[in-house]
Amino acid sequence: MDVSGSLTCVVVAVDGSEVSMEALSWALDNLKLSSSSPDSSFVILHVQPSPSIAAGVSPGTIPFGGPSGVEVPAFAAAIEQHQKRITDAILEHALQICADRSVNVKTQVVVGDPKDKMCETVENLNADLLVMGSRAHGPIKRMFLGSVSNYCTNHAHCPVVIIKPKEDSPE
């Protein structure tokens, strides 16, 4: 089934890993958007973990030698600033890959659990296809962390293409 050329919205999820950038390159090199729809687009999606997930704790109630339950907004703000710098670097890298191929894309950044937000975003955009990389965690890590690609394959409201890491990739 050849759907290339009839696609109007392709979402490519990037997380900064090499395999996610390989997935972006694959999508740009192998998929053709519909020329009959002026709104056709590739959408680069990055999901930032919420500050509490990124810190591994709830930053709103971290006691620093004081009474428990004291909020530390500076801690949350520092985490958010750090995440913004990471997101900017990831998107800059992704946009350079697109510029090298002279492809215009849209970007979208959402905050939350990647597997849920990716599925939610493809549904909201009425995407025709989700392209993502597979981090290829071993069975133990996958048991504890879960597999984002597996979740999206089973819950996304569109077909999902998973790009595996190259053999020599450190991931």
Side-chain angles (χ1 to χ4, degrees):
M1 177 171 122
D2 182 21
V3 296
S4 194
S6 64
L7 302 168
T8 58
C9 180
V10 174
V11 175
V12 182
V14 296
D15 62 4
S17 66
E18 192 59 38
V19 72
S20 74
M21 297 305 169
E22 290 170 13
L24 174 60
S25 296
W26 181 90
L28 297 174
D29 293 342
N30 292 287
L31 301 174
K32 182 179 176 196
L33 296 174
S34 171
S35 57
S36 63
S37 175
D39 296 329
S40 294
S41 64
F42 284 102
V43 177
I44 297 174
L45 172 65
H46 176 66
V47 182
Q48 283 183 345
S50 65
S52 59
I53 293 172
V57 293
S58 175
T61 60
I62 298 173
F64 284 98
S68 62
V70 173
E71 292 199 10
V72 185
F75 185 68
I79 292 171
E80 288 172 12
Q81 283 296 338
H82 180 68
Q83 285 180 293
K84 183 180 179 336
R85 286 191 297 273
I86 291 170
T87 295
D88 290 346
I90 290 169
L91 291 179
E92 181 180 330
H93 184 196
L95 290 171
Q96 185 59 53
I97 290 170
C98 298
D100 291 346
R101 290 165 173 77
S102 301
V103 177
N104 291 323
V105 297
K106 297 177 182 176
T107 60
Q108 188 165 351
V109 177
V110 294
V111 177
D113 182 19
K115 62 183 186 282
D116 294 328
K117 290 299 181 180
M118 289 165 72
C119 290
E120 182 181 300
T121 300
V122 296
E123 184 174 4
N124 291 343
L125 293 173
N126 198 25
D128 298 308
L129 189 64
L130 170 62
V131 179
M132 61 190 303
S134 172
R135 302 287 297 268
H137 292 304
I140 303 295
K141 251 187 179 177
R142 191 169 38 250
M143 182 174 68
F144 288 106
L145 298 176
S147 168
V148 174
S149 57
N150 185 53
Y151 182 91
C152 291
T153 300
N154 290 300
H155 293 90
H157 291 269
C158 66
V160 179
V161 173
I162 300 169
I163 304 300
K164 292 185 175 185
K166 293 179 182 172
E167 292 294 323
D168 58 348
S169 180
E171 298 188 65

